[in-house]
Amino acid sequence: MNKYLKGCFFFIGTIILIFALIIGQFFWSSYNKRKNAEIDSIKYSKECDSNDSITEQPEISFISFKKTELSPLKFQILRDGKFIQDTVITNDFTKAKYDPDYKHVVIPYKIFLKTDTIVVTTKNKLIYYISGYHHYAYLHYGMFGYLGSHDCRFSDNPTINNQVFSSAVLIREYGWINPEISKHIKKISVSDSVEYYSFAKKCKIKIKDTERILKEKRKNQVLRSTSIDGFEVGPANSYYVFGEETESGTLPDDLVPRNLKRYVIKINCETGEYKRYANYPFEN
């Protein structure tokens, strides 16, 4: 073979090898950074969460409540099975213009233990158990992945009435009237798609059946939206749970819904029995 051709092949092969080494090194480095990030996330989160107290005074929001149902609010700390530090607050509730339903307050304790449960009782006697506040390590990333540094941050995704939420939101429909009964009812959110669809497969009434039932039973009203909340799994019966909103029009100036009404719909997973509640959970 021509020596010049051999030299050309050798040169091209060398370039390819160099590129392969660079790419291999990049992927190896990325893999190591991901593994280090997984290890460090666990390690540093334990360090960040080593303090046994919460001092951030977390904010909690209320959804689907009327203002008259909230003030006054009763707060209690449940510690070692006993209620301590009963606090009653009144508030006109900050309302964002873009969302007329948005109301919020801060928990009225400057410090409490991470093992404590904050119990909130609304004026209309709905009860919420809030727990699981903690701190975690927020890892720092750059253009090429994990940088090996972190800072400690407060995690505002507590457990509320046995459900983990991405933020501290107290939803009217999720309030407990009788905690001794409600604590034995499991909620499966549609957001947890794996568990939701796994449970749906066990039901005699399938998801497609609920679509037909909803269509047949729908009231003669202007429908704003229908949402799938998930499942309510009780000791005796289990239900598909849906949310429905209707409205008769909008205000022309700020597009705030007029005569907005909310309903909760439950469909029995085994019998297909349909129930529609205008004042859930009080009608439940």
Side-chain angles (χ1 to χ4, degrees):
M1 183 181 292
N2 188 297
K3 64 179 180 178
Y4 295 106
L5 189 58
K6 287 183 179 180
C8 184
F9 283 145
F10 178 79
F11 177 76
I12 293 173
T14 302
I15 296 298
I16 292 174
L17 179 61
I18 291 173
F19 273 107
L21 289 174
I22 292 174
I23 293 172
Q25 178 64 30
F26 173 79
F27 281 108
W28 177 252
S29 176
S30 297
Y31 172 78
N32 280 337
K33 286 183 178 181
R34 286 196 300 270
K35 295 298 293 183
N36 289 337
E38 292 174 4
I39 295 171
D40 287 355
S41 178
I42 297 172
K43 173 185 174 182
Y44 293 129
S45 287
K46 287 182 179 179
E47 294 180 3
C48 290
D49 206 33
S50 59
N51 190 314
D52 61 359
S53 299
I54 297 293
T55 59
E56 283 82 358
Q57 276 197 282
E59 178 182 288
I60 58 175
S61 303
F62 299 85
I63 298 294
S64 300
F65 282 93
K66 297 177 182 178
K67 189 166 63 173
T68 54
E69 295 177 320
L70 293 176
S71 188
L73 288 169
K74 180 180 179 181
F75 285 81
Q76 296 170 290
I77 294 178
L78 180 60
R79 180 179 298 170
D80 298 327
K82 297 180 180 180
F83 289 103
I84 62 173
Q85 295 192 38
D86 289 18
T87 304
V88 176
I89 67 170
T90 57
N91 196 306
D92 60 357
F93 294 98
T94 301
K95 297 176 67 175
K97 182 176 177 60
Y98 59 84
D99 185 354
D101 287 329
Y102 179 71
K103 310 171 183 70
H104 73 270
V105 297
V106 296
I107 292 177
Y109 304 114
K110 292 184 178 180
I111 183 171
F112 58 90
L113 301 180
K114 291 179 178 177
T115 54
D116 290 340
T117 296
I118 304 299
V119 182
V120 182
T121 305
T122 64
K123 183 180 179 181
N124 60 344
K125 304 303 180 184
L126 290 179
I127 304 171
Y128 298 85
Y129 289 73
I130 308 172
S131 61
Y133 284 117
H134 61 281
H135 296 89
Y136 69 99
Y138 179 82
L139 305 183
H140 299 159
Y141 288 83
M143 291 181 61
F144 299 104
Y146 176 47
L147 298 176
S149 58
H150 74 283
D151 61 82
C152 294
R153 298 192 179 186
F154 175 65
S155 176
D156 193 18
N157 58 334
T159 298
I160 303 172
N161 287 358
N162 293 341
Q163 284 187 272
V164 178
F165 286 80
S166 58
S167 60
V169 177
L170 307 189
I171 303 173
R172 188 182 192 274
E173 290 82 0
Y174 292 1
W176 287 355
I177 298 173
N178 187 337
E180 291 304 313
I181 295 176
S182 296
K183 69 182 181 181
H184 298 295
I185 298 174
K186 181 181 179 181
K187 303 280 190 178
I188 301 177
S189 173
V190 69
S191 61
D192 187 350
S193 59
V194 174
E195 188 174 8
Y196 175 81
Y197 286 106
S198 295
F199 190 84
K201 290 180 179 179
K202 303 175 185 177
C203 298
K204 183 177 180 180
I205 302 299
K206 304 304 181 184
I207 295 175
K208 63 179 180 180
D209 297 322
T210 66
E211 295 172 354
R212 172 183 53 80
I213 294 171
L214 287 171
K215 186 176 181 179
E216 291 175 352
K217 299 289 186 178
R218 182 165 294 157
K219 297 289 186 179
N220 185 24
Q221 295 175 323
V222 178
L223 180 66
R224 186 181 186 214
S225 65
T226 300
S227 60
I228 305 173
D229 290 344
F231 286 105
E232 184 178 287
V233 183
N237 297 297
S238 299
Y239 300 90
Y240 288 91
V241 182
F242 299 85
E244 183 178 278
E245 291 185 344
T246 63
E247 62 177 339
S248 61
T250 57
L251 297 177
D253 54 348
D254 54 8
L255 299 182
V256 175
R258 178 188 297 160
N259 296 329
L260 179 65
K261 294 183 179 179
R262 292 183 174 87
Y263 303 91
V264 169
I265 296 169
K266 294 169 65 173
I267 298 177
N268 190 294
C269 293
E270 298 303 314
T271 66
E273 180 185 15
Y274 173 102
K275 293 184 179 181
R276 194 169 191 264
Y277 304 95
N279 191 25
Y280 192 87
F282 296 101
E283 292 180 342
N284 186 24

